[in-house]
Amino acid sequence: MPRLPAFCAALLLACASAQVLADAKSHAADAEKFLLVVRADKLTVPVYAQVQQMFAQRFAETKATDKAVLETYQAKANTALDQAVAWDKLKPDLVKLYTTSFTEQEMQDLISFYESPLGKKVLEKMPELTGRSAQLTQARLESAVPKVNQLLSEMTSKLSPKKP
């Protein structure tokens, strides 16, 4: 009968492991759903557009006329981007990032919020607000640059060895 406790312990461990695996899958599924709700699958769209614009600008600078060359290289650039930042490449890392940052319950709460009218409004307004916030910060920062440079210069003077 000494095998019975060992068997029970092994069975309990197997059941607990299965539950942990099921919880991890559920947590990952919630993280993936959250990422889709917040449109994370569209994060790289501006990157593609910027690269396309960069190629078009270079094409114009060279005064080239063969649009087929431009289109060929834009397609090659898209392929390179696809290999690095396509959704299927980013998704596993983003799911891991969010599952390690938020509990499963927190993920569910986030999904509920972002599916609510207010959450949808936040998603709609956030890019504009982020951009405008960056502009405001930059404008305020520019007013501090002369003073910071003056202080840096003063410190450098104090730290420089005195000449006899």
Side-chain angles (χ1 to χ4, degrees):
M1 283 310 206
R3 290 184 171 186
L4 186 59
F7 175 74
C8 288
L11 184 60
L12 185 60
L13 183 60
C15 289
S17 296
Q19 181 61 42
V20 167
L21 185 58
D23 288 347
K25 283 185 177 183
S26 173
H27 195 184
D30 285 339
E32 188 172 338
K33 180 176 181 180
F34 167 76
L35 290 166
L36 291 175
V37 167
V38 299
R39 303 179 199 129
D41 57 325
K42 307 289 186 240
L43 280 174
T44 59
V45 170
V47 173
Y48 282 76
Q50 189 175 13
V51 169
Q52 293 300 302
Q53 181 60 36
M54 187 174 69
F55 275 84
Q57 186 175 350
R58 180 63 53 89
F59 182 81
E61 288 170 0
T62 62
K63 296 183 171 72
T65 57
D66 188 355
K67 286 265 193 192
V69 172
L70 171 62
E71 292 167 1
T72 297
Y73 279 91
Q74 285 177 322
K76 287 180 180 184
N78 279 347
T79 299
L81 291 172
D82 286 345
Q83 292 171 351
V85 296
W87 177 239
D88 64 319
K89 304 286 189 221
L90 287 175
K91 183 172 60 173
D93 292 334
L94 290 174
V95 166
K96 184 176 181 181
L97 177 67
Y98 279 84
T99 56
T100 58
S101 299
F102 297 101
T103 66
E104 187 168 6
Q105 183 59 56
E106 290 169 334
M107 291 301 320
Q108 292 168 2
D109 293 345
L110 284 167
I111 291 166
S112 294
F113 171 72
Y114 282 109
E115 286 181 332
S116 75
L118 178 58
K120 289 176 182 178
K121 184 175 183 176
V122 168
L123 288 173
E124 178 187 319
K125 298 287 185 181
M126 195 54 66
E128 177 190 349
L129 293 171
T130 301
R132 291 177 63 194
S133 296
Q135 289 173 342
L136 289 168
T137 303
Q138 182 65 33
R140 299 269 178 156
L141 184 59
E142 286 175 9
S143 69
V145 168
K147 182 64 176 173
V148 170
N149 284 337
Q150 176 191 350
L151 292 168
L152 184 60
S153 188
E154 287 175 20
M155 184 187 79
T156 302
S157 294
K158 283 199 181 278
L159 295 174
S160 295
K162 304 283 188 235
K163 294 184 182 176

